[in-house]
Amino acid sequence: MRQLNRLNQFQRLWQQSQGIPQQTCVAEMARHCICSERHLRTLLSQWQHAGWLSWHGEPGRGKQGQLVFLRTPEQLRQQLLQKQLDAGDAADALQLLDLPPERLINMLRPLMGGQWQNDTPVLRIPYYRPMESTEPRQITGRAEQHLVRQIYSGLTRFEQDAPVGDLAHHWQHDEASCSWLFWLRPQLMWHNDEPVQAAQLVTQFRQLLRDTRVRILLADVVSVDAPHPLALRFTLRRPDFWLPHRLAHLLCLLPHPADMKTGSGPWKLRHFSAELVRIESHARWHLQRPLLQAVEYWITPQLFDPALGSSCRHPVQIAIGDAAELRTLKPVSSSISLGFCYLVCRPRAGFTPDQARTLFQLIQQSGIVSRLPLDEGLITPSKELLPGWEVPLIDNVPVPLPTTLTLHYQLPVELHQMSQALVALLKQHGCTLNVVFHPVKSWHHIDPPDEADIVMGDRLIGDAPIFTLASWLQIDPLWRRLWSAPHGEELQAQLLAIQQIADSDSRTRALQQLYHQLMRDGILLPLFNYRYQIYAPPAVEGIELNTLGWFDFSRAWIPPPIDPPCSCSAAD
C-alpha cells in the first residue's frame, strides 16, 4: 500500500530527531528514508503539500536546510486509519497498527466500541487472541461458540433454556414418538441470497451423521428425509424427547452444503483472519433483524499486556471499548457462569471408591479452592452443580490415600494453580501426585489418558444447562474412556431411560439424581465457577450477558449522533 510505505518513510525521518526542528541536507535524509536523493525530493514535495512538514533547502549539493515537522506519525496513522475505516477497509487498516502497545493504545482508543461510519452503526471489540475456525464441529472456545451461533442456524435454537423454532417453526411426533416432523419457515435465505431448500438440509444432516460426535449425539436417528418442500422428517429407533434440544446443539448448526462459510443466521461472515473478524447483518434473516450493521473483532493481543493495566486480564472479562482504560468503561452486566471447572476420579485397582471419596472430602474441608492465588473476583467455589443442584458434602470415614496418583488436566490456566494446590494437599497426607498438563480446551482433540487416576477440565455450559449436562455424559470422550465397561454400560442405560421420559420435569429430576450419585460416589466434583463481566462505554446500549459470557449481537445498538437543539431566544 503506497500510502503506508510513504508513512513508514516519514516515520523513519521523524524518528531521527523525534520531531524536533533540525538543520539537515537531502543526502542525509535520503539515507534515513532508505531511498535515492531524487526520490527524497519528490517525497519532501508531497509531504510539504500535504502539510506534514516544512522544508526550506539551500541550493547546491550537500547544502543544509531547515526541516520542521508539522504532524507526528501517530497523527498521520490515525488520519489514514480513520479514512480506511470510513471506506470499509478494516482489513487494510490493521496494517497501520504495527506499533508498540503504549502507542497503539492511544491510536485505538477513539476507534473501539460503538462507532457510526457513513451513517451505519459498527461495534468494534478488541480481543486478546486470534479466533479459531468458524466450522461448528471444529471449535472449542467460548468466543467461537458464540460467534458461530451468530452465523449459522439450526432447525431449532435455545431461548430461555428451552428449544424454540429457528429454521423450523413447529414440530410434532407420532404416537410412538419415533417419527418427528419439523416444519420449515417459508422463504428462508442463505447469506448468498439463495433460498434454503429442505433437500439441502437433508444433505447436510446426512453429512453430519458421518461425524463421530454427531453420530453419538443423534445415536437413535435412523434416517432423515424431506416428505415436503417445507418439512424434514427424522425417524428414530427408540423415543428420544431430547431431539429438539439435540438439533439446537452446536454440532447441528447447518452451513450451506456447497460453502461451509455460508450460513443463514442473523450475521454473515465477511472477513476472517488472524488480525480481524468482521460479520455483517443479514438483511433477509427470518427472525428479528440486528440493530447493528457490523461487528468487528480486532485481534490486538499487544493491548492486553498486564504491565499496561489492560482490561481483559482474562477471557471471562470482555471490554467493548478501550482495552487500557477499564475505569472509563461501565460494568454493564455480570453473572456467575453455569459452567464449571471440575475434577473427575477414576476408581480402579489401587484407587478405590472410598479413597476417591476421601480425596473429595479433603478438597472440600481444606478450602483450597477459595485460597487459589488468582485475581480477586475471577472465580467462586462451586456450591451447586446447577442452581438448586447442591454439591453434596462427603462425610465418610477417611481412608489412607494411595502412595502415588496421576493427575491429567487441560486448560483453562487456572487449573495450573489448582493442580499445584492438590500436589501440596496430597503430600500432607502421604500421597505423591504426578501431574501432566495437556494444552487443549477439551478432550475432543486428544484421547484422555488411560493411566490417569484423576482428570481436571472445564465444562462450558451455555443454553439449556440440563440438556447440556445430559449430552456431556453421552458425547465427551472423557466419560467414554474413563469408565470401565460395567460403569459405562450402567451410565448409558440410565441416559437412554432418561431420554425416553416424555415429561420434561421428570427428565430433569432423573438427571439430577444421576449427577447426585456421581458426586456422592466420588466420581465428579465441581471445583469453581467463573464470574462473567462485560464492560462497555456509554455509547453502546442493549448489552446483556448471555450464558456464554457474551451478549446477543442482534440486540445491541448504538444511539446515532444527533446535534443538540440550538438555543434560540424569542424576538421581542
Side-chain angles (χ1 to χ4, degrees), residues 25 185 212 235 250-251 265 316 323 330 338 555:
C25 65
R185 301 177 191 272
T212 301
T235 303
L250 181 76
L251 295 174
V316 302
K330 60 178 181 179
L338 289 176
R555 296 183 182 181

Side-chain angles (χ1 to χ4, degrees), residues 151 191 267-272 277-281:
I151 299 172
H191 292 159
W267 300 87
K268 49 190 173 183
L269 186 64
R270 280 303 188 200
H271 184 91
F272 187 91
V277 176
R278 178 183 171 94
I279 56 176
E280 296 179 359
S281 171

Side-chain angles (χ1 to χ4, degrees), residues 125-413:
I125 303 171
Y127 205 59
Y128 74 106
R129 63 167 175 82
M131 291 287 180
E132 300 171 7
S133 166
T134 57
E135 208 288 285
R137 279 151 295 284
Q138 299 297 323
I139 63 174
T140 56
R142 185 169 52 89
E144 286 82 0
Q145 291 192 33
H146 174 69
L147 177 62
V148 299
R149 288 192 180 279
Q150 311 301 309
I151 299 172
Y152 302 106
S153 300
L155 282 185
T156 58
R157 62 189 179 91
F158 291 123
E159 188 173 287
Q160 296 181 343
D161 299 336
V164 299
D166 195 350
L167 294 176
H169 63 85
H170 183 73
W171 55 87
Q172 62 191 57
H173 56 78
D174 63 2
E175 291 186 5
S177 304
C178 288
S179 180
W180 292 65
L181 281 173
F182 289 79
W183 302 102
L184 300 180
R185 301 177 191 272
Q187 300 179 335
L188 295 168
M189 303 297 292
W190 297 106
H191 292 159
N192 60 6
D193 292 331
E194 293 180 8
V196 175
Q197 301 175 2
Q200 292 176 315
L201 303 183
V202 170
T203 298
Q204 282 299 79
F205 273 112
R206 291 174 179 173
Q207 178 68 29
L208 288 178
L209 286 168
R210 299 174 186 172
D211 181 275
T212 301
R213 284 187 294 159
V214 178
R215 283 202 309 272
I216 298 172
L217 177 69
L218 302 178
D220 288 310
V221 173
V222 176
S223 64
V224 184
D225 67 320
H228 184 275
L230 289 177
L232 259 65
R233 177 169 55 202
F234 289 78
T235 303
L236 310 183
R237 62 172 50 92
R238 61 171 67 91
D240 181 7
F241 290 97
W242 289 126
L243 183 61
H245 297 73
R246 298 187 193 279
L247 297 177
H249 193 281
L250 181 76
L251 295 174
C252 289
L253 294 177
L254 298 166
H256 190 288
D259 182 5
M260 293 297 293
K261 295 182 180 180
T262 298
S264 58
W267 300 87
K268 49 190 173 183
L269 186 64
R270 280 303 188 200
H271 184 91
F272 187 91
S273 69
E275 297 81 24
L276 174 73
V277 176
R278 178 183 171 94
I279 56 176
E280 296 179 359
S281 171
H282 178 32
R284 305 183 72 175
W285 191 41
H286 47 276
L287 297 174
Q288 182 179 351
R289 184 178 175 182
L291 301 174
L292 296 170
Q293 176 61 30
V295 175
E296 293 176 353
Y297 297 80
W298 284 43
I299 315 301
T300 50
Q302 58 269 56
L303 286 184
F304 299 94
D305 182 352
L308 297 173
S310 309
S311 60
C312 298
R313 292 170 294 175
H314 191 280
V316 302
Q317 298 178 332
I318 301 170
I320 308 163
D322 175 14
E325 298 287 339
L326 183 58
R327 288 171 295 183
T328 69
L329 305 177
K330 60 178 181 179
V332 295
S333 191
S334 63
S335 67
I336 302 297
S337 68
L338 289 176
F340 49 86
C341 285
Y342 61 84
L343 182 147
V344 166
C345 285
R346 183 192 181 194
R348 54 184 176 176
F351 186 33
T352 67
D354 284 340
Q355 289 173 321
R357 285 191 289 270
T358 295
L359 173 61
F360 283 15
Q361 189 176 29
L362 291 175
I363 294 173
Q364 290 177 331
Q365 292 179 352
S366 66
I368 60 173
V369 174
S370 61
R371 299 198 305 272
L372 293 178
L374 302 173
D375 290 340
E376 184 178 357
L378 182 62
I379 67 168
T380 183
S382 299
K383 303 298 183 182
E384 298 177 311
L385 184 68
L386 291 178
W389 294 25
E390 290 187 1
V391 176
L393 295 176
I394 306 299
D395 55 3
N396 65 302
V397 178
V399 299
L401 294 175
T403 56
T404 61
L405 287 171
T406 300
L407 165 68
H408 286 245
Y409 73 100
Q410 48 159 265
L411 294 167
V413 294

